[in-house]
Amino acid sequence: MFRNAIKEQYRHAKMIIEHSDPSNVVDALRGSTKSEPIANMFDKYYGMSAVFAMLWRNEVLKSKSIESEMQMSAFDRTIRNYAKNKAGERIKNITETTEKYLLDAVRESIDKAVVGGLGIQETKDLIMSAVEEQEKTITEGRSKMIAQTEMITASNRAAVEGVKSTKLSFKKYWSTSGLKNTRESHLACEAESIERNGLLEDEVFSNGLLFPGDPNGDAAEVVNCRCSILFEID
């Protein structure tokens, strides 16, 4: 999903390159990268996590039945709104990063064209080739990183919403994945939550996050995170 969204941003950029003179293509591209493809993917991606909220609600209430469509719709709206408002900065950052990569490729190609004494069409071909190569080599890794990060944010946010919907009081715990390269700060959060017998809903962990993947946290704390939030009902 995110790979296709980034590719859509590149498709739009390549249309601009195709219809611009090399002398002004940088200005034409600057500020033109569309955020809509990424925003749409966030909406769909987070919307799918509403099922996690329902599963947590059913688990806490020890219910094996499917909840009403009204409850599911409420989760869907809440989580999609969360993605739009709280994760909006991530959408902006992803879009700005795409544009930075594009502009770097275009400027480098223009410099090569000037040194090589290339004509207008040759320069455009060089720029297009560089952009297409960049899209191929960078997009796959970027999309996986974004998907991993947003999966953790969406699923953990949904878990919080599901438990909150029961109206029962609870404590939350940070749980690391047990995999290699787990951040020291996340191991500290896990240890802290155990030592304190859980944190209250609105309390932040020692790294400043409300839950693993919290979009209010620094990128160093959330990108490629693999941790989960667990709960203990009082």
Side-chain angles (χ1 to χ4, degrees):
M1 291 170 67
F2 283 106
R3 181 177 62 247
N4 290 339
I6 294 173
K7 283 181 174 294
E8 179 60 32
Q9 291 182 318
Y10 273 88
R11 277 193 289 271
H12 178 69
K14 285 187 284 188
M15 288 177 58
I16 293 175
I17 293 169
E18 183 64 34
H19 294 91
S20 298
D21 187 279
S23 63
N24 61 25
V25 68
V26 170
D27 289 336
L29 283 173
R30 190 180 289 115
S32 69
T33 306
K34 291 182 174 293
S35 63
E36 286 83 1
I38 304 299
N40 290 339
M41 287 305 99
F42 265 70
D43 182 65
K44 293 177 182 177
Y45 204 67
Y46 275 70
M48 291 190 300
S49 71
V51 68
F52 288 106
M54 188 64 75
L55 289 171
W56 271 103
R57 176 181 171 84
N58 288 346
E59 175 64 22
V60 170
L61 296 176
K62 302 303 179 185
S63 170
K64 295 183 179 180
S65 62
I66 301 297
E67 293 285 341
S68 69
E69 290 186 10
M70 184 178 297
Q71 182 65 59
M72 180 64 87
S73 294
F75 284 141
D76 184 78
R77 287 193 304 273
T78 298
I79 296 170
R80 286 178 190 267
N81 285 336
Y82 186 83
K84 179 180 178 180
N85 298 321
K86 294 293 185 180
E89 188 63 25
R90 290 185 179 176
I91 296 170
K92 179 174 177 286
N93 289 340
I94 292 168
T95 300
E96 289 178 348
T97 299
T98 298
E99 185 164 299
K100 178 184 180 302
Y101 285 145
L102 282 164
L103 290 174
D104 286 348
V106 170
R107 290 190 182 106
E108 184 178 349
S109 297
I110 291 175
D111 289 344
K112 288 180 180 178
V114 170
V115 171
L118 301 184
I120 292 177
Q121 189 56 51
E122 290 174 309
T123 301
K124 289 178 69 171
D125 291 343
L126 183 63
I127 292 171
M128 191 68 77
S129 177
V131 167
E132 288 177 345
E133 180 61 25
Q134 181 189 88
E135 178 184 4
K136 185 183 355 178
T137 58
I138 293 178
T139 300
E140 187 70 22
R142 280 191 74 204
S143 60
K144 287 182 178 179
M145 180 191 71
I146 294 167
Q148 169 68 28
T149 302
E150 301 310 328
M151 178 182 70
I152 292 299
T153 298
S155 61
N156 286 324
R157 180 68 241 183
V160 172
E161 290 298 327
V163 176
K164 281 173 56 179
S165 74
T166 66
K167 306 301 182 183
L168 300 173
S169 60
F170 62 89
K171 295 287 187 66
K172 62 183 181 182
Y173 293 77
W174 190 292
S175 177
T176 59
S177 64
L179 299 172
K180 292 181 180 180
N181 301 320
T182 297
R183 294 170 174 87
E184 290 295 328
S185 59
H186 293 188
L187 291 170
C189 288
E190 182 176 54
E192 171 198 27
S193 60
I194 294 172
E195 291 168 3
R196 294 178 55 184
N197 293 318
L199 278 67
L200 298 176
E201 175 191 338
D202 295 328
E203 287 186 301
V204 296
F205 290 93
S206 56
N207 62 353
L209 274 59
L210 283 167
F211 56 87
D214 182 358
N216 291 317
D218 293 336
E221 289 293 332
V222 300
V223 172
N224 277 338
C225 176
R226 299 164 295 184
C227 302
S228 301
I229 191 80
L230 299 177
F231 306 95
E232 181 178 58
I233 306 301
D234 292 340

